[in-house]
Amino acid sequence: MDDRVPRVPEQKRPGSLREPETLRFDVLGPVRARRGEQPLATGSPQQRALLAALLLREGRTATAAELIDALWGEEPPSQALAAVRTYASRLRKVLDPGVLVSESGGYAVRGLGEGALDLAAAQEWAAEAEKAKGAGALGRARELLNRALGLWDGEALAGVPGPYAEAQRVRLEEWRLGLLESRLDMDLEQGCHAEAVSELTALTAAYPLRERLRELLMLALYRSGRQAEALAVYADTRRLLAEELGVDPRPGLRALQRRILQADPDLAEPSAPQAEPSAAPVRPAQLPATVPDFTGRSSFVTELSEVLAGASGDGGDGGRVMAVSALAGIGGVGKTTLAVHVAHRARPAFPDGQLYVDLQGAGSRSAEPETVLGAFLRALGAADSAIPDSLEERAALYRSMLDGRRVLVLLDNAKDAAQVRPLLPGTEGCAALVTSRVRMVDLAGAHLVDLDVMSPEEALALFTKIVGEERVASERKAALDVVAACGFLPLAIRIAASRLAARRTWTVSVLAAKLADERRRLDELQAGDLAVKATFELGYGQLEPAQARAFRLLGLADGPDMSLAAAAAVLDLPPEETEDLLESLVDTSLLESAAPGRYRFHDLVRLYARACAERDESSPGERAAAMSRLLDFYLATTARVYAIEHPRDRLVDDLEPTSYPGLRFTEGAAALDWLYTEAGPLLACVRQAAGTERLRRAVDLLWAAKDLTESGANSHQYETTARATCEATRAMGDERAEGRARTVLSDVLLVSGRIQQAEDEAQVAMALAETAHDATAVSWVANNRGLVCLHQSRFGDGKVFFDQALEGLRAAGNRPFEATALGNLSRAYLGMGNTDKAVEIARRGLAAHSEIGRSVRLANSHFALGVALTQADRHAEALTEFSDALRIFNEHRQRLWEGVTNFRIAQVHLAAHRPAQAAQHAELALTLGCIGGDRMRGNVLTLLGRALAELAQVDRARACWQDALALYEQSGAPESDIARRLLAHASAG
């Protein structure tokens, strides 16, 4: 028989359409035959062995002697030939006519349809992957290899006897591992380091002597910032090879260890990153469109272009530097327009891409550098899981990804030099253009440019380009009057000219006459922000009354943008009418359309709109009413989202009443989409309402949106808002509102693992809630205090608090939260050593939630029962509960809960002596993050170390325990003693 990896040619491309009754065969798993989707009986193991041997012959004839040797080897039965003929006859009856043919005393399988054999599909996808890789399309190659690998269904030729099948199993498994290593190598090239660690950990446990897998694991760990573990993998490998085979690691593995020890900068990023359409964009082109009517500024264009030429090496002397130019000037002077125009001219000198961001420095809440860096890293091709948390780490990765590239970065509307510094490339060949309202004299090495208003000639030229030469030529004096009334400020000129261009019945003189009364504003142009107001007044003065009202009221709201539905609430108008008004404002350039159905103000325009509201609204009550409607809209809608996610929970019945309705949802996915999309504007609304008569509703809105923090998606912003509401409620002396705000804050602190702070807030919240007779908050904070006790191993105290919570929840008829509290009480009984009672109570909680229906809290009940069953050593049952919990957490986008569930699954596998599976799930927990912050991450690392130690990867285990100890000491966690004992034992061993 042929000993090559089987190749089955002449089959059409896999994945193309098949006839419903096509005959298909599988060998990458159990040997099976199907007609369409109907399984066919392939007989005994020996009969399947015959079928497999023929399928793997690539359509060539196998003689009877070859088939006998394939099935039985050197000791065939006496009736072997008769048996072969019988098997062939039976298969011929099952298969289509003409498929199994007799020829020259042997047999062959012929006439297979397109994609009929899974092995053929895998071979073709693997070949296409190799071509894609050669062309630099790594994303496409990874996708094709994943398809090929997905065709395996366990062991190839599973259950098929005979020496031929055994030899082919070995070869097919070797081929599969080669494909897997190739795909993992491309994973690392594409920056998917964190995701690869989990898979590689499991693979190295399953194939401990396969050095290529160990090498990939070392590289993945190193690029994930886990250098000590990477070196520990090498030490484990060297020891294992010496003990098992008496050899040293191969040269490639030794070279990688040396490079890690030397912190080789070439290891910090993929060796040959490739730009490709199917992967995350690695050649960004983010510059906004340049205006077609750019006018004047020729000296500035030349000056800035020369600076950029120095960065690109085109400056004439051949040198390359990292160039920074900072443009400063009043709002509306044209800084962004000039910078974008210059950047577009310089694009050929920066072939590796252009990055752009609006830093929102003119507003009250400028963009945070770490958030901007996250967006830049994604645009440069970094996977989400590879983006670190801290500002310093993100800035370092950003500079590393730009090293060796020629990228232009445009940082628009910066607040100050401190905001800009982390966003500068820092490497030669790159350049940055910065615009700001302030001169950045403290930005080291920056080329400073002060941009003033246009000259009269430039202003008139800009006005003429927008309006048209024909209309201006006959009214030159009136046109000069218009640009003078605009203060020669480019943005003001553009607004005025656009208005005139859109009104063909107006003459230039009509526009000049309308602006005549506003000429006093010229003096105000030199007073900072007042100059901006003077400019925008031109556009505002042309609005119809309904448009002007919309402009004023919409500008009152904080937040990065606003949805159409939220705007309708502010204006108290139907959505259709609201959309017409907003689109008309977009046409005037007073409002921007951020995306379909979403709108935003430029920061300076928002300030002007608010000034108009204070000046022009006849009654302050109208402004307050608009903000009240917006808050009502968010509270009512968020309450509906909460009700969908937590069915029959009574919290929604105890929230402050609303007068304005919210949105309704037909299914949970749409509700969650709304909540996460609106997180920024929603939390901004809460902060804005702090310190007003709307405070109680704001606190309740924050409470109803609590899933934002448990998901891990908006934890920092949510915590900031919670602290602001606590301060506001305390200042106003509202005990009920402050009790609820501190209850919410204690939730946040529990999620992040700051247990003592959570306890401090919960104590204050309890006292306030009891004084205010707020039964809902009392029950909630009692549950929180019980959770604090669990973390502090005060299980008896925890039981007291959970009993208190349960008493209040039963009195309120809050069955879902009661079921959740039962799950928490179960853990208190576990801590007190009463496992049977814990399992019983957890089952009661699960039964209650099951009656209510599928919700995120049903997952919590599965989780609680899984924890109890784990301690009862009922591992199979525990895994079932955790698996159910994991599916529900995933559906409801609770990433941190997914992480902690993977941690618990890892505990079960370790207790059941399955260290490889334990390590894999522990790695998943590290990637996802967990409820409990750094302390829980320490627990995960401790568990991972235990699993690795059982896999004889002692050095890597030691590295995990050292990292865990550092986290424990940083958070003051008592588990630090456990980590020290493990490290001491490892050193002694």
Side-chain angles (χ1 to χ4, degrees), residues 31 122 262 307 315 380 407 483 539 651 751:
V31 175
Q262 296 165 0
V307 175
L380 291 168
V407 174
V483 296
L651 174 64
V751 169

Side-chain angles (χ1 to χ4, degrees), residues 517-534:
D517 292 340
E518 309 297 336
R519 290 182 180 178
R520 287 178 224 176
R521 298 173 187 170
L522 293 175
D523 295 334
E524 299 173 352
L525 285 172
Q526 302 176 24
D529 288 344
L530 294 178
V532 178
K533 291 182 180 180

Side-chain angles (χ1 to χ4, degrees), residues 426-437:
T427 54
E428 66 175 16
C430 293
L433 277 173
V434 184
T435 73
S436 177
R437 292 171 60 195

